[in-house]
Amino acid sequence: MEEQRPVIGTEIKESDLDKVLEYIRIERGVDLLSSYRRNFVLRRLRIRMREVKVLDFAKYISLIENNPEEFNNFLDVLSVNVTEFFRDRGVFDFFRDIILPDLIKNKEGYKEKVIRIWSAGCASGQEPYSLAIIIKEALADKKDFLARITASDIDSEALERAKKAEYSINDFKEMDNKIIEKYFTLSYNESYKLSNEIRNMVLFRRNNLISDPPVHFIDAIFCRNVMIYFKREQQDLIFHKFNQALDRGGYLVIGKTETIWGKDLFTSVNAQQKVYQKS
Ligand SMILES: C[S@@+](CC[C@H](N)C(=O)[O-])C[C@H]1O[C@@H](n2cnc3c(N)ncnc32)[C@H](O)[C@@H]1O
């Protein structure tokens, strides 16, 4: 249950919240209210403003404008920068039930049947490994198919954790027990080690989405809860890179709170799950 106590010392009023939210929606493409309750955002914003000793919403907006780090700090307070296996379960069900069967169908006629996925901004690996588990299960009776999952992030430490593939029970909120039993082994230190058959399906590499070239010949890109870090012009640049990275008909999946710009580059496949296809 959310705590309703007002935070003493911050003057931000509920009506002011709309201005901050509107600023974040327009400038950053993040619609926080699509995923978070209003009261939750209001209380977290008050906490952050108190931490940086800014008690006026207009001053806080200018702080975000002048200091890109501050926006990330606010996202940290909202805990947007977390990850877990099968985060937003519906998106992974959509991948399993709609996207993957479509990719398989399209490749049936080809000699080389390779499904190529890119998890861009993969953090500590839960997203690409979730995709690998789904693909492993789906291709169990299709021995002539291969999957190549490239997972990239700017954060080398997160990539090292991803390669280690040891997780805590808290990462498994959305995971069926059967899958945990099948693909993880409980270690002596209470962590769960992912099996090599899934680990070997994912290739991790460091990649800065802003300054590095994209991965190419991709069938589906998952770039979820990453765009929130970027301003609109940077998002534009990345959407262009994703357009180049995808093969014809390739899919792009973004985060629940995120918005796609450049509507001529992609067409919407499922608005609720934020799934798009290269135009
Ligand atoms: C909140 S996590 C998203 C993890 C996963 N995609 C998910 O939705 O659960 C955001 C990730 O984006 C990465 N990131 C931020 N800026 C980046 C950049 N310029 N290039 C590549 N990755 C970046 C961060 O290091 C972080 O691991």
Side-chain angles (χ1 to χ4, degrees):
M1 204 44 192
E2 299 283 354
E3 183 202 330
Q4 295 299 319
R5 217 161 10 105
V7 177
I8 300 155
T10 48
E11 298 305 317
I12 184 164
K13 295 194 286 294
E14 220 195 305
S15 56
D16 295 338
L17 179 67
D18 292 319
K19 293 178 184 144
V20 180
L21 290 175
E22 189 60 5
Y23 168 80
I24 290 172
R25 198 178 64 76
I26 291 178
E27 290 298 319
R28 296 299 189 125
V30 183
D31 182 6
L32 291 171
L33 292 188
S34 68
S35 283
Y36 299 98
R37 281 188 295 124
R38 212 185 144 75
N39 267 347
F40 171 78
V41 179
L42 180 64
R43 201 168 44 262
R44 291 301 159 125
L45 187 59
R46 280 178 173 146
I47 289 171
R48 182 62 200 158
M49 287 171 67
R50 201 166 58 151
E51 275 171 3
V52 290
K53 300 187 173 52
V54 172
L55 305 185
D56 177 274
F57 79 95
K59 287 198 185 121
Y60 188 71
I61 290 178
S62 76
L63 183 66
I64 295 179
E65 270 174 335
N66 297 321
N67 179 358
E69 275 296 297
E70 178 49 30
F71 185 65
N72 293 348
N73 294 338
F74 172 54
L75 293 177
D76 284 349
V77 177
L78 276 176
S79 295
V80 177
N81 66 333
V82 291
T83 185
E84 64 184 70
F85 283 92
F86 300 97
R87 179 182 190 183
D88 301 322
R89 179 80 224 197
V91 179
F92 289 90
D93 291 346
F94 193 88
F95 176 74
R96 182 196 59 206
D97 299 337
I98 309 289
I99 299 178
L100 190 54
D102 185 50
L103 298 179
I104 291 172
K105 185 174 84 143
N106 290 342
K107 301 213 175 233
E108 287 286 4
Y110 286 85
K111 191 158 167 262
E112 203 201 30
K113 298 178 175 60
V114 187
I115 292 174
R116 295 185 176 87
I117 309 288
W118 180 15
S119 166
C122 64
S124 38
Q126 289 87 331
E127 178 180 274
Y129 286 141
S130 301
L131 296 167
I133 290 170
I134 292 174
I135 293 171
K136 183 86 191 163
E137 298 274 304
L139 297 186
D141 58 352
K142 295 193 182 302
K143 300 292 178 214
D144 50 343
F145 270 84
L146 274 178
R148 293 226 174 90
I149 303 171
T150 302
S152 66
D153 203 284
I154 196 174
D155 181 341
S156 309
E157 275 179 36
L159 289 172
E160 284 312 309
R161 286 201 303 280
K163 286 185 210 161
K164 241 175 136 197
E166 285 183 3
Y167 297 98
S168 105
I169 193 79
N170 298 328
D171 290 299
F172 296 157
K173 278 180 248 155
E174 297 285 344
M175 186 131 58
D176 298 340
N177 279 339
K178 267 199 218 144
I179 296 289
I180 301 176
E181 281 163 23
K182 191 165 171 186
Y183 294 114
F184 291 85
T185 318
L186 183 59
S187 300
Y188 64 94
N189 59 356
E190 297 291 298
S191 70
Y192 288 77
K193 182 95 184 165
L194 183 59
S195 72
N196 283 343
E197 63 177 329
I198 299 297
R199 290 175 67 191
N200 292 340
M201 290 172 68
V202 183
L203 181 73
F204 290 97
R205 62 190 251 188
R206 193 172 177 281
N207 177 286
N208 182 342
L209 286 168
I210 303 287
S211 54
D212 291 331
V215 183
H216 282 288
F217 309 114
I218 298 296
D219 297 305
I221 298 173
F222 269 64
C223 185
R224 308 189 62 236
N225 308 299
V226 181
M227 289 295 172
I228 45 174
Y229 289 93
F230 306 125
K231 287 195 164 178
R232 184 170 171 162
E233 57 184 309
Q234 295 171 318
Q235 293 184 18
D236 264 342
L237 176 90
I238 294 171
F239 285 130
H240 273 92
K241 284 189 183 184
F242 286 163
N243 187 269
Q244 289 164 16
L246 286 169
D247 270 356
R248 195 147 47 92
Y251 291 91
L252 170 65
V253 184
I254 60 174
K256 272 277 159 77
T257 60
E258 293 164 334
T259 310
I260 197 156
W261 316 111
K263 298 224 183 319
D264 51 327
L265 298 177
F266 296 97
T267 45
S268 174
V269 174
N270 185 295
Q272 194 195 351
Q273 303 303 347
K274 296 287 174 88
V275 177
Y276 299 84
Q277 208 163 15
K278 179 168 170 164
S279 300

